[in-house]
Amino acid sequence: MATDQLSKVFSALADPTRRDILARLGQGDATVSELADPYPISLPAISRHLKVLETAGLISRDKRAQWRTNTLQAAPLKEATTWMEHLSHLWDDRFARLDTHLAAMKALQDRPTTDSTEEEQHDD
């Protein structure tokens, strides 16, 4: 079971239904019934998905009268994005160094050797 916040976020995002729910909440707050409407699953199943999203900090739930409204919380997504961007920059740097190294190796391979030039001069 994930214990740190970033692990909880990635675990929550691993499920396509939960990602879809987050996309829906990006358009505005919604009740459990509104979120459940497009899915062929029960309200308790949707509630379990929402609990995972809430535990990860990706949504907040507010009870208004008899309705429980769900709201997207962007901060954990920003933290996950920042972490992934950091890794992306590391890999971009590594690939740039590899490109430089491969270009240098190709330049050495394409350079004429002095032995072949000397042999051509002796054959004359």
Side-chain angles (χ1 to χ4, degrees), residues 14-60:
D15 185 275
T17 300
R18 291 192 287 266
R19 290 192 305 269
D20 196 46
I21 289 170
L22 289 175
R24 164 57 186 86
L25 290 173
Q27 299 169 4
D29 296 354
T31 65
V32 175
S33 297
E34 291 169 334
L35 292 171
D37 190 43
Y39 303 103
I41 57 178
S42 68
L43 283 175
I46 290 294
S47 290
R48 286 190 295 273
H49 282 298
L50 293 172
K51 184 64 177 168
V52 171
L53 293 170
E54 183 181 28
T55 300
L58 293 166
I59 66 168
S60 62

Side-chain angles (χ1 to χ4, degrees), residues 91-105:
W91 280 106
D92 288 346
D93 290 345
R94 288 181 181 182
F95 284 132
R97 287 195 315 265
L98 178 60
D99 284 343
T100 301
H101 178 71
L102 291 174
M105 288 178 62

Side-chain angles (χ1 to χ4, degrees), residues 65-123:
Q66 72 264 25
W67 305 109
R68 185 173 283 261
T69 304
N70 300 278
T71 305
L72 179 67
Q73 298 297 315
L77 291 173
K78 178 66 177 155
E79 180 184 348
T81 301
T82 300
W83 184 83
M84 288 185 291
E85 286 173 348
H86 172 72
L87 284 183
S88 177
H89 291 302
L90 290 175
W91 280 106
D92 288 346
D93 290 345
R94 288 181 181 182
F95 284 132
R97 287 195 315 265
L98 178 60
D99 284 343
T100 301
H101 178 71
L102 291 174
M105 288 178 62
K106 179 157 177 35
L108 283 174
Q109 183 181 18
D110 292 345
R111 191 175 70 188
T113 62
T114 54
D115 292 343
S116 63
T117 308
E118 289 176 12
E119 287 177 14
E120 289 172 6
Q121 289 175 356
H122 291 296
D123 288 341

